């Protein structure tokens, strides 16, 4: 079996895999990082979104072998120890989830939106950008609110880092 | 997904050699169509040749009156390219309508064109703009390239390396989306070129992307949405499925064409 190695949440990961192994399977089954979910398995729902070299990608639609050498960030790598990432905190504050199944993908997409579109997001921008993430229980209202708040909070984070 | 042997191409020549030598091979670019197709067991290549690590095939350059886009350029990079935005804003706009943001981070223009999905966006742009599809063997005019549903002029051992788009005087694209799949139920790309006007339609035809000579003729007299009012195209030859009847699609072709012309007349493409 071919070998794949990548950096996941800052740690080196390496394994021999069946070529069919999807990135999401590698994360969940090899590394036991089960925060990344498989919803539809057809690249529609976005529950499996992770960042590959800094960009949001549907990990159910990428082979683990293609990610060889890549830097992967999953929901588990977002918090700073016990301190939640500002976007996670905003989802909690705004009650932006009900069952929570779509939440990891929503949050990873949200952080990607902020990276691409900045910290001041219009509501319609957030709604458009969420078209690849599907929630089947709460509706999107609080999710949209949380992403707006999280995006603003992330600007504080950047200034803080710059100051350090 | 059925089992396959994975090959990581290190360069274009390596990929071409593997493609010649291996049995039942398939090229993997961004994988946003191929992987779902393989999961559904609608494709089951014995050998998969991954182009992900091939360098030098995702550049966007402008030369004279044309823009050339490397085959491995991701949709998001076409969408965000200042070169494309400036020279052919309708093309940059189109790239931003494909799939969703995460899909656009992986999917490539070469992969989309090679696949020639009858509901994909890029084939309409290629045909309307008179693009040239460049492979590792030859150059193919868009007119000769798209052959039908998922069929192209590509030989089994050919790989698309880049696509050259002549810069039009103006161009517009209007996409009527299938709400579930985000593919075009009907999409119309209109280009006013120095020599001619072209109207290319994706999503509607039962054998893939096609041009509408009667619309082109009408727009030649006057490039305005009004020129298309009252014109119809026959439902014969339109696709018909649970998403829309042939008559509905034929109707949408006119609606989308008028909106595409209106978009071409605006500085920034319509939302």
């Amino acid at each position: 079996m071919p070998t794949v190695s990548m950096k996941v949440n800052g740690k080196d990961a390496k394994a021999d895999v069946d070529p069919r192994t999807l990135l999401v399977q590698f994360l969940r089954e090899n590394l036991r990082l089960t925060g990344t979910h498989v919803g539809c398995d057809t690249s529609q729902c976005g529950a499996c979104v992770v960042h590959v070299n800094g960009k949001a990608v549907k990990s159910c639609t990428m082979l683990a072998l293609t990610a060889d050498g890549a830097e992967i960030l999953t929901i588990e790598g977002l918090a700073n120890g016990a301190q939640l990432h500002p976007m996670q905190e905003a989802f909690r504050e705004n009650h932006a989830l009900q069952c929570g199944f779509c939440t990891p993908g929503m949050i990873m997409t949200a952080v990607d939106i902020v990276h691409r579109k900045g910290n001041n997001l219009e509501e319609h921008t957030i709604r458009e950008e969420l078209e690849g993430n599907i929630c089947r229980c709460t509706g999107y209202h609080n999710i949209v609110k949380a992403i707006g708040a999280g995006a603003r909070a992330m600007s504080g984070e950047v200034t803080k880092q710059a100051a350090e | 997904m059925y089992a396959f042997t994975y090959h990581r191409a290190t360069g274009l020549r390596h990929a071409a050699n593997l493609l010649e030598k291996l049995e039942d091979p398939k090229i993997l670019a961004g994988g946003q169509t191929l992987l779902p197709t393989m999961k559904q067991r609608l494709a089951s290549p014995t050998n998969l040749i991954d182009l992900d690590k091939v360098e030098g095939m995702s550049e966007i350059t402008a030369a004279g009156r044309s823009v050339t886009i490397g085959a491995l350029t991701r949709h998001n990079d076409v969408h965000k390219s200042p070169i494309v935005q400036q020279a052919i804003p309708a093309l940059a706009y189109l790239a931003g309508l494909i799939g969703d943001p995460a899909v656009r981070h992986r999917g490539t223009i070469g992969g989309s064109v090679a696949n020639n999905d009858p509901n994909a966006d890029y084939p309409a742009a290629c045909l309307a703009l008179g693009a040239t599809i460049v492979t590792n063997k030859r150059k193919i005019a868009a007119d000769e390239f798209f052959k039908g549903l998922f069929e192209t002029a590509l030989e089994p051992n050919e790989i698309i390396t880049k696509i050259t788009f002549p810069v039009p005087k103006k161009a517009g694209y209007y996409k009527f989306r299938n709400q579930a799949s985000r593919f075009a139920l009907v999409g119309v790309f209109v280009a006013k070129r120095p020599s001619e006007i072209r109207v290319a339609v994706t999503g509607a035809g039962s054998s893939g992307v096609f041009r509408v000579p009667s619309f082109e003729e009408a727009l030649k007299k006057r490039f305005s949405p009004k020129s298309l009012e009252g014109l119809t195209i026959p439902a014969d030859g339109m696709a018909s499925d649970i998403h829309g009847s042939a008559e509905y699609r034929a109707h949408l072709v006119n609606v989308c064409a008028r909106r595409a012309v209106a978009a071409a007349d605006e500085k920034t493409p319509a939302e």
Side-chain angles (χ1 to χ4, degrees):
Chain A
M1 286 199 292
T3 304
V4 66
S5 63
M6 62 186 87
K7 199 161 246 187
V8 180
N9 301 331
K11 283 189 208 137
D12 289 321
K14 191 173 181 181
D16 295 335
V17 293
D18 180 313
R20 288 176 285 187
T21 309
L22 301 166
L23 178 58
V24 70
Q25 285 175 302
F26 181 75
L27 295 171
R28 288 179 58 85
E29 292 166 24
N30 286 68
L31 305 182
R32 298 284 168 189
L33 294 172
T34 53
T36 304
H37 293 165
V38 180
C40 67
D41 199 24
T42 55
S43 56
Q44 320 261 331
C45 81
C48 67
V49 168
V50 301
H51 295 187
V52 177
N53 295 327
K55 286 179 176 165
V57 159
K58 292 184 166 173
S59 61
C60 80
T61 310
M62 183 171 183
L63 295 175
L65 284 167
T66 299
D68 189 66
E71 292 203 12
I72 313 290
L73 180 68
T74 72
I75 190 73
E76 289 91 344
L78 214 50
N80 182 9
Q83 192 193 358
L84 291 179
H85 182 277
M87 191 59 78
Q88 291 173 307
E89 190 59 48
F91 268 64
R92 191 173 74 162
E93 273 304 303
N94 290 281
H95 190 62
L97 62 142
Q98 212 168 93
C99 85
F101 193 85
C102 72
T103 311
M106 287 285 178
I107 290 177
M108 297 313 286
T109 295
V111 172
D112 182 67
I113 298 171
V114 178
H115 289 162
R116 286 183 293 111
K117 305 260 168 179
N119 298 93
N120 292 307
L121 299 170
E122 302 269 352
E123 185 189 325
H124 77 89
T125 306
I126 299 171
R127 288 184 183 274
E128 277 169 20
E129 288 288 327
L130 277 184
E131 71 177 331
N133 289 76
I134 295 172
C135 164
R136 291 289 79 150
C137 56
T138 79
Y140 299 87
H141 189 75
N142 284 359
I143 294 174
V144 172
K145 243 169 60 181
I147 294 176
R152 287 189 295 278
M154 279 173 71
S155 78
E157 186 201 35
V158 172
T159 348
K160 213 166 63 193
Q161 278 174 356
E164 275 167 12
Chain B
M1 208 184 288
Y2 287 111
F4 56 85
T5 307
Y6 178 87
H7 307 268
R8 184 175 293 126
T10 52
L12 177 63
R13 193 170 295 172
H14 183 214
N17 285 342
L18 290 169
L19 196 56
E20 293 273 2
K21 171 180 97 180
L22 296 169
E23 192 191 328
D24 185 27
K26 192 88 187 160
I27 293 281
L28 176 68
Q32 300 305 285
T33 299
L34 182 56
L35 293 175
T37 311
M38 287 170 66
K39 284 183 185 180
Q40 290 175 70
R41 298 184 168 182
L42 295 171
S44 51
T46 309
N47 289 288
L48 200 63
I49 305 165
D50 190 351
L51 299 186
D52 195 76
K53 301 289 187 285
V54 173
E55 287 179 6
M57 273 173 69
S58 45
E59 274 130 32
I60 300 177
T61 53
R65 295 298 295 160
S66 69
V67 170
T68 297
I69 302 177
L72 292 179
T73 311
R74 316 279 175 191
H75 305 321
N76 189 56
D77 295 328
V78 175
H79 179 54
K80 288 279 160 213
S81 160
I83 293 175
V84 182
Q85 284 176 355
Q86 202 264 323
I88 319 177
L91 185 61
Y93 167 72
L94 173 148
L97 297 177
I98 300 170
D100 59 56
V103 168
R104 292 195 288 273
H105 282 152
R106 291 292 309 155
T108 68
I109 187 169
S112 170
V113 169
N115 187 49
N116 191 20
D117 187 297
N119 296 85
D121 299 284
Y122 275 129
C126 291
L127 192 59
L129 292 166
T132 302
I133 289 92
V134 182
T135 76
N136 56 332
K137 308 237 174 218
R138 60 187 167 139
K139 294 178 175 179
I140 310 167
D143 294 328
E144 312 297 326
F145 185 83
F146 300 104
K147 296 288 191 192
L149 301 181
F150 302 101
E151 298 253 346
T152 69
L154 287 174
E155 298 290 337
N157 58 1
E158 263 183 309
I159 302 171
I160 299 177
T161 56
K162 55 192 174 183
I163 300 170
T164 298
F165 295 91
V167 175
K169 285 185 161 170
K170 47 179 144 179
Y173 182 61
Y174 190 85
K175 176 178 186 173
F176 190 94
R177 277 176 162 166
N178 177 319
Q179 286 302 314
S181 73
R182 322 307 281 170
F183 272 92
L185 187 63
V186 173
V188 178
F189 201 104
V190 175
K192 185 176 187 184
R193 308 181 61 206
S195 54
E196 59 179 349
I197 286 167
R198 285 186 175 210
V199 177
V201 180
T202 189
S206 58
S207 48
V209 65
F210 66 93
R211 284 171 66 185
V212 189
S214 62
F215 286 15
E216 294 175 357
E217 209 47 47
L219 290 169
K220 208 156 79 181
K221 293 187 188 107
R222 184 162 164 246
F223 192 81
S224 156
K226 280 204 167 66
S227 305
L228 300 177
E229 272 173 22
L231 292 183
T232 55
I233 65 164
D236 273 3
M238 295 297 116
S240 192
D241 53 30
I242 56 163
H243 307 297
S245 66
E247 290 74 18
Y248 181 56
R249 281 186 163 90
H251 172 75
L252 277 181
V253 170
N254 181 285
V255 174
C256 292
R258 280 186 280 148
R259 290 181 185 177
V261 173
D265 275 331
E266 286 168 18
K267 273 206 168 137
T268 47
E271 283 291 318

